[in-house]
Amino acid sequence: MPLPRVYADFNALEYSADKPFAEMPLTGFGTLSSLARQGLRLSENMALILCEPNDIECEVTVHFDMSRTDPAGRQGEWVARFDLRLVRDLPNTGERFPTQHPCMVCGQSFYQPRTFTDRCRNCGASVMEPMLPPDNAT
């Protein structure tokens, strides 16, 4: 089964010579809405293909880092880890990720503009549902 393809902004890439991998916080609305459209909730060690259409993509592993703060102000944040040597160029095909952002619980579309603290008008679920901390996060 192919890995899910999730939008990511590679401009947030973090790397240093003392680490064998690069990291990228998964904090953008594009990533959040891409996860929600596919009904995906991040989990520890989840494998994904992060891509920036018409630019680059890379297979990553997802990790919850308690030393960070997420965009909603909660302790902990999801981070993608990957080997920079595995980043692949993509041809320019004109591909675009849709901008819709459905609620993960009821499917109702979130309204525009959104904030990281918004809740669904229909069921009250958080816009951050795809990026909730893992159950064992302390």
Coordinates of all heavy atoms in Angstrom, one line a residue, residues 58-116:
C58 N 9.7 13.8 -0.1 CA 10.6 12.9 0.7 C 9.8 12.0 1.6 O 8.8 12.5 2.2 CB 11.6 13.8 1.5 SG 12.9 12.8 2.3
E59 N 10.2 10.8 1.7 CA 9.6 9.9 2.7 C 10.2 10.3 4.1 O 11.4 10.5 4.3 CB 10.0 8.4 2.4 CG 9.3 7.4 3.2 CD 9.5 6.0 2.7 OE1 9.6 5.8 1.5 OE2 9.5 5.1 3.6
V60 N 9.3 10.4 5.1 CA 9.6 10.8 6.4 C 9.0 9.9 7.4 O 8.1 9.1 7.1 CB 9.1 12.2 6.7 CG1 9.7 13.2 5.6 CG2 7.6 12.3 6.8
T61 N 9.5 10.0 8.7 CA 8.9 9.4 9.8 C 8.5 10.5 10.8 O 9.3 11.4 11.0 CB 9.9 8.4 10.5 OG1 10.4 7.5 9.6 CG2 9.3 7.7 11.7
V62 N 7.3 10.4 11.4 CA 6.8 11.4 12.2 C 7.1 11.1 13.7 O 7.0 10.0 14.1 CB 5.3 11.5 12.0 CG1 4.6 12.5 12.9 CG2 5.0 11.9 10.6
H63 N 7.5 12.2 14.4 CA 7.8 12.0 15.8 C 7.2 13.2 16.6 O 7.1 14.3 16.1 CB 9.3 12.1 16.0 CG 9.8 12.3 17.4 ND1 9.7 11.3 18.4 CD2 10.4 13.3 18.0 CE1 10.2 11.8 19.5 NE2 10.6 13.0 19.3
F64 N 6.7 12.9 17.8 CA 6.1 14.0 18.7 C 7.2 14.5 19.6 O 7.8 13.7 20.4 CB 4.9 13.5 19.5 CG 4.1 14.6 20.1 CD1 3.3 15.4 19.3 CD2 4.2 14.8 21.4 CE1 2.6 16.4 19.9 CE2 3.5 15.9 22.0 CZ 2.7 16.6 21.2
D65 N 7.6 15.7 19.5 CA 8.7 16.3 20.3 C 8.1 17.2 21.4 O 7.6 18.3 21.2 CB 9.6 17.1 19.4 CG 10.8 17.6 20.0 OD1 10.9 17.7 21.3 OD2 11.8 18.0 19.3
M66 N 8.2 16.7 22.7 CA 7.7 17.4 23.8 C 8.5 18.7 24.1 O 8.0 19.5 24.9 CB 7.7 16.5 25.0 CG 6.6 15.5 25.0 SD 4.9 16.2 25.0 CE 4.8 17.0 26.6
S67 N 9.6 18.9 23.6 CA 10.4 20.1 23.9 C 10.0 21.3 23.1 O 10.4 22.4 23.3 CB 11.9 19.8 23.6 OG 12.2 19.7 22.2
R68 N 9.0 21.1 22.2 CA 8.5 22.2 21.3 C 7.1 22.6 21.8 O 6.5 21.9 22.6 CB 8.4 21.8 19.9 CG 9.8 21.4 19.3 CD 9.6 20.8 17.9 NE 10.8 20.5 17.2 CZ 11.3 21.2 16.2 NH1 10.7 22.2 15.7 NH2 12.5 20.9 15.7
T69 N 6.6 23.7 21.2 CA 5.2 24.2 21.4 C 4.5 24.2 20.1 O 5.1 24.8 19.2 CB 5.2 25.5 22.1 OG1 6.0 25.5 23.3 CG2 3.8 26.0 22.4
D70 N 3.3 23.7 20.0 CA 2.6 23.7 18.7 C 1.9 25.1 18.5 O 1.9 25.9 19.4 CB 1.6 22.5 18.6 CG 0.3 22.7 19.4 OD1 0.0 23.8 20.0 OD2 -0.5 21.8 19.3
P71 N 1.4 25.3 17.3 CA 0.8 26.6 16.9 C -0.4 26.9 17.8 O -0.7 28.1 17.9 CB 0.4 26.4 15.5 CG 1.2 25.3 15.0 CD 1.5 24.4 16.1
A72 N -1.1 26.0 18.4 CA -2.2 26.2 19.3 C -1.8 26.6 20.7 O -2.6 26.8 21.5 CB -3.2 25.0 19.3
G73 N -0.4 26.6 20.9 CA 0.1 26.9 22.3 C 0.2 25.7 23.2 O 0.5 25.9 24.4
R74 N 0.0 24.5 22.7 CA 0.1 23.3 23.6 C 1.6 22.9 23.6 O 2.3 23.0 22.7 CB -0.7 22.2 23.1 CG -2.2 22.5 23.0 CD -3.0 21.3 22.4 NE -2.4 21.0 21.1 CZ -3.1 20.5 20.1 NH1 -4.4 20.2 20.3 NH2 -2.6 20.3 18.9
Q75 N 2.0 22.2 24.7 CA 3.3 21.7 24.8 C 3.4 20.5 23.9 O 2.5 19.6 23.9 CB 3.6 21.3 26.3 CG 5.0 20.9 26.5 CD 6.0 22.1 26.3 OE1 5.6 23.2 26.6 NE2 7.1 21.8 25.7
G76 N 4.4 20.4 23.1 CA 4.7 19.3 22.2 C 4.2 19.7 20.8 O 3.3 20.4 20.6
E77 N 5.0 19.1 19.8 CA 4.7 19.4 18.4 C 5.2 18.2 17.6 O 6.2 17.6 17.8 CB 5.5 20.7 18.0 CG 5.4 21.1 16.6 CD 6.1 22.4 16.4 OE1 7.4 22.4 16.3 OE2 5.5 23.4 16.2
W78 N 4.4 17.9 16.5 CA 4.8 16.9 15.5 C 5.9 17.4 14.6 O 5.9 18.5 14.1 CB 3.6 16.5 14.7 CG 2.6 15.7 15.5 CD1 1.4 16.2 16.0 CD2 2.7 14.3 15.9 NE1 0.8 15.2 16.7 CE2 1.5 14.1 16.7 CE3 3.7 13.3 15.8 CZ2 1.3 12.8 17.2 CZ3 3.4 12.1 16.3 CH2 2.3 11.8 17.1
V79 N 6.9 16.5 14.4 CA 8.1 16.8 13.6 C 8.3 15.6 12.7 O 8.2 14.5 13.1 CB 9.3 17.0 14.5 CG1 10.6 17.2 13.7 CG2 9.1 18.1 15.5
A80 N 8.6 16.0 11.4 CA 9.0 14.9 10.5 C 10.5 14.8 10.5 O 11.3 15.8 10.6 CB 8.6 15.3 9.1
R81 N 11.0 13.6 10.5 CA 12.5 13.3 10.5 C 12.8 12.6 9.2 O 12.1 11.6 8.9 CB 12.9 12.5 11.7 CG 12.9 13.2 13.0 CD 13.5 12.4 14.1 NE 13.5 13.2 15.3 CZ 13.6 12.7 16.5 NH1 13.7 11.4 16.7 NH2 13.7 13.5 17.5
F82 N 13.9 12.9 8.6 CA 14.3 12.3 7.3 C 15.7 12.6 7.0 O 16.3 13.5 7.4 CB 13.3 12.7 6.2 CG 13.2 14.2 6.0 CD1 14.0 14.8 4.9 CD2 12.4 14.9 6.7 CE1 13.9 16.1 4.7 CE2 12.3 16.3 6.5 CZ 13.0 16.9 5.5
D83 N 16.2 11.7 6.1 CA 17.5 11.8 5.5 C 17.5 12.8 4.3 O 16.7 12.6 3.4 CB 18.0 10.4 5.1 CG 19.4 10.4 4.6 OD1 19.9 11.4 4.1 OD2 20.0 9.3 4.6
L84 N 18.2 13.9 4.4 CA 18.2 14.9 3.3 C 18.6 14.3 2.0 O 18.2 14.8 0.9 CB 19.1 16.0 3.7 CG 18.6 17.1 4.6 CD1 19.7 18.1 5.0 CD2 17.4 17.8 4.0
R85 N 19.4 13.2 2.0 CA 19.8 12.6 0.7 C 18.7 11.9 0.0 O 18.8 11.6 -1.2 CB 20.9 11.6 1.0 CG 22.2 12.2 1.6 CD 23.2 11.2 2.0 NE 22.5 10.4 3.1 CZ 23.1 9.4 3.7 NH1 24.3 9.0 3.4 NH2 22.5 8.8 4.7
L86 N 17.5 11.7 0.7 CA 16.4 11.1 0.1 C 15.3 12.0 -0.5 O 14.3 11.6 -1.0 CB 15.7 10.1 1.1 CG 16.6 9.1 1.7 CD1 15.9 8.2 2.7 CD2 17.2 8.2 0.6
V87 N 15.6 13.3 -0.4 CA 14.7 14.3 -1.0 C 14.8 14.2 -2.5 O 15.9 14.1 -3.1 CB 15.1 15.7 -0.6 CG1 14.2 16.8 -1.3 CG2 14.9 15.9 1.0
R88 N 13.6 14.1 -3.2 CA 13.6 13.9 -4.6 C 12.9 15.2 -5.3 O 12.0 15.7 -4.7 CB 12.7 12.7 -5.0 CG 13.2 11.4 -4.4 CD 12.3 10.3 -4.7 NE 11.0 10.3 -4.1 CZ 10.7 9.8 -2.9 NH1 11.6 9.1 -2.2 NH2 9.5 9.8 -2.4
D89 N 13.5 15.5 -6.4 CA 12.9 16.6 -7.2 C 11.6 16.0 -7.9 O 11.5 14.9 -8.3 CB 13.8 17.1 -8.3 CG 15.0 17.9 -7.7 OD1 14.7 18.6 -6.7 OD2 16.1 17.8 -8.3
L90 N 10.6 16.9 -8.0 CA 9.4 16.5 -8.7 C 9.3 17.4 -10.0 O 9.6 18.6 -10.0 CB 8.2 16.8 -7.8 CG 8.0 16.0 -6.6 CD1 6.8 16.5 -5.8 CD2 7.7 14.5 -7.0
P91 N 8.7 16.8 -11.0 CA 8.5 17.6 -12.2 C 7.4 18.6 -12.0 O 6.5 18.4 -11.2 CB 8.1 16.6 -13.3 CG 7.5 15.4 -12.5 CD 8.3 15.4 -11.2
N92 N 7.4 19.7 -12.7 CA 6.3 20.7 -12.6 C 5.1 20.2 -13.5 O 5.2 20.3 -14.7 CB 6.8 22.0 -13.1 CG 5.7 23.1 -12.8 OD1 4.6 22.8 -12.6 ND2 6.2 24.3 -12.8
T93 N 4.1 19.6 -12.8 CA 3.0 19.1 -13.5 C 1.7 20.0 -13.4 O 0.7 19.7 -13.9 CB 2.6 17.7 -13.0 OG1 2.2 17.9 -11.6 CG2 3.7 16.7 -13.1
G94 N 1.9 21.1 -12.6 CA 0.8 22.0 -12.3 C -0.1 21.5 -11.2 O -1.1 22.0 -10.9
E95 N 0.3 20.4 -10.5 CA -0.4 19.8 -9.4 C -0.6 20.8 -8.3 O 0.3 21.6 -8.0 CB 0.3 18.6 -8.8 CG -0.4 18.0 -7.6 CD 0.5 16.9 -6.9 OE1 1.6 16.7 -7.3 OE2 -0.1 16.2 -6.0
R96 N -1.8 20.8 -7.7 CA -2.1 21.7 -6.6 C -2.8 20.9 -5.6 O -3.7 20.1 -5.9 CB -2.9 22.9 -7.0 CG -2.1 23.8 -8.0 CD -3.0 25.0 -8.4 NE -3.5 25.8 -7.4 CZ -3.0 26.9 -6.8 NH1 -1.8 27.3 -7.3 NH2 -3.5 27.5 -5.9
F97 N -2.5 21.1 -4.3 CA -3.3 20.5 -3.3 C -4.6 21.3 -3.0 O -4.5 22.6 -3.1 CB -2.5 20.4 -1.9 CG -1.7 19.2 -1.8 CD1 -0.4 19.1 -2.2 CD2 -2.3 18.0 -1.3 CE1 0.4 18.0 -2.1 CE2 -1.5 16.9 -1.1 CZ -0.2 16.8 -1.5
P98 N -5.7 20.7 -2.9 CA -6.9 21.5 -2.6 C -6.8 22.3 -1.3 O -6.0 21.9 -0.4 CB -8.0 20.4 -2.4 CG -7.4 19.1 -3.0 CD -5.9 19.3 -2.9
T99 N -7.6 23.3 -1.2 CA -7.5 24.2 0.0 C -8.6 23.9 1.0 O -8.6 24.5 2.1 CB -7.5 25.7 -0.4 OG1 -8.7 25.9 -1.1 CG2 -6.3 26.0 -1.2
Q100 N -9.5 23.0 0.7 CA -10.6 22.7 1.6 C -10.0 22.0 2.9 O -9.0 21.4 2.9 CB -11.6 21.7 1.0 CG -12.3 22.1 -0.2 CD -11.5 21.7 -1.4 OE1 -10.5 21.1 -1.4 NE2 -11.9 22.2 -2.6
H101 N -10.7 22.3 4.0 CA -10.3 21.7 5.3 C -11.5 21.2 6.0 O -12.2 21.9 6.7 CB -9.6 22.8 6.1 CG -9.0 22.3 7.4 ND1 -7.8 22.8 7.9 CD2 -9.4 21.3 8.2 CE1 -7.5 22.1 9.0 NE2 -8.5 21.2 9.2
P102 N -11.8 19.9 5.8 CA -12.9 19.4 6.5 C -12.6 19.0 8.0 O -11.5 18.8 8.3 CB -13.2 18.1 5.7 CG -11.9 17.7 5.2 CD -11.2 19.0 4.9
C103 N -13.7 19.0 8.8 CA -13.5 18.6 10.1 C -13.2 17.1 10.1 O -13.9 16.3 9.4 CB -14.8 18.9 10.9 SG -14.9 18.2 12.6
M104 N -12.3 16.6 10.9 CA -11.9 15.2 11.0 C -13.1 14.4 11.7 O -13.1 13.2 11.5 CB -10.7 15.0 11.9 CG -9.4 15.3 11.2 SD -8.8 14.0 10.2 CE -8.4 12.8 11.4
V105 N -13.9 15.0 12.5 CA -14.9 14.3 13.2 C -16.2 14.2 12.4 O -16.8 13.1 12.2 CB -15.2 14.9 14.6 CG1 -16.3 14.3 15.3 CG2 -13.9 14.9 15.4
C106 N -16.7 15.3 11.9 CA -18.0 15.3 11.2 C -18.0 15.6 9.7 O -19.0 15.4 9.0 CB -19.0 16.3 11.9 SG -18.6 18.0 11.5
G107 N -16.8 16.0 9.2 CA -16.7 16.3 7.8 C -17.1 17.6 7.3 O -16.9 18.0 6.2
Q108 N -17.7 18.4 8.2 CA -18.1 19.8 7.8 C -16.9 20.6 7.5 O -15.9 20.5 8.2 CB -18.9 20.4 9.0 CG -19.4 21.8 8.8 CD -20.7 21.8 8.0 OE1 -21.3 20.7 7.8 NE2 -21.1 22.9 7.5
S109 N -17.0 21.5 6.5 CA -15.9 22.3 6.2 C -15.6 23.4 7.2 O -16.6 24.0 7.7 CB -16.1 23.0 4.8 OG -16.0 22.0 3.8
F110 N -14.4 23.6 7.5 CA -14.0 24.7 8.4 C -14.1 26.0 7.6 O -13.8 26.0 6.4 CB -12.6 24.6 9.0 CG -12.5 23.7 10.2 CD1 -12.1 22.4 10.1 CD2 -12.9 24.2 11.4 CE1 -12.1 21.6 11.2 CE2 -12.8 23.4 12.5 CZ -12.4 22.1 12.4
Y111 N -14.5 27.1 8.2 CA -14.7 28.3 7.5 C -13.3 29.1 7.3 O -12.4 28.7 7.9 CB -15.7 29.2 8.2 CG -15.3 29.4 9.7 CD1 -14.5 30.4 10.1 CD2 -15.7 28.5 10.7 CE1 -14.1 30.5 11.4 CE2 -15.4 28.6 12.0 CZ -14.6 29.6 12.4 OH -14.2 29.8 13.7
Q112 N -13.3 30.0 6.5 CA -12.1 30.8 6.3 C -12.3 32.2 6.9 O -13.4 32.7 6.9 CB -11.9 31.0 4.8 CG -11.7 29.8 4.0 CD -10.3 29.1 4.2 OE1 -9.4 29.8 4.6 NE2 -10.2 27.9 3.9
P113 N -11.3 32.9 7.5 CA -10.0 32.3 7.8 C -10.1 31.5 9.0 O -11.0 31.6 9.8 CB -9.2 33.6 8.0 CG -10.2 34.6 8.5 CD -11.5 34.3 7.8
R114 N -9.1 30.6 9.2 CA -9.0 29.7 10.3 C -7.9 30.2 11.2 O -6.9 30.8 10.8 CB -8.8 28.3 9.9 CG -9.7 27.8 8.9 CD -9.3 26.4 8.4 NE -8.0 26.3 7.8 CZ -7.7 26.4 6.5 NH1 -8.7 26.7 5.7 NH2 -6.5 26.3 6.1
T115 N -8.0 29.7 12.5 CA -6.8 29.9 13.4 C -6.6 28.5 14.0 O -7.5 27.6 13.9 CB -7.1 30.9 14.5 OG1 -8.1 30.4 15.4 CG2 -7.5 32.2 14.0
F116 N -5.5 28.3 14.6 CA -5.1 27.0 15.2 C -6.0 26.7 16.4 O -5.9 25.6 17.0 CB -3.6 27.0 15.6 CG -2.8 26.9 14.3 CD1 -2.0 28.0 14.0 CD2 -2.6 25.8 13.6 CE1 -1.2 28.0 12.8 CE2 -1.8 25.7 12.5 CZ -1.1 26.8 12.1

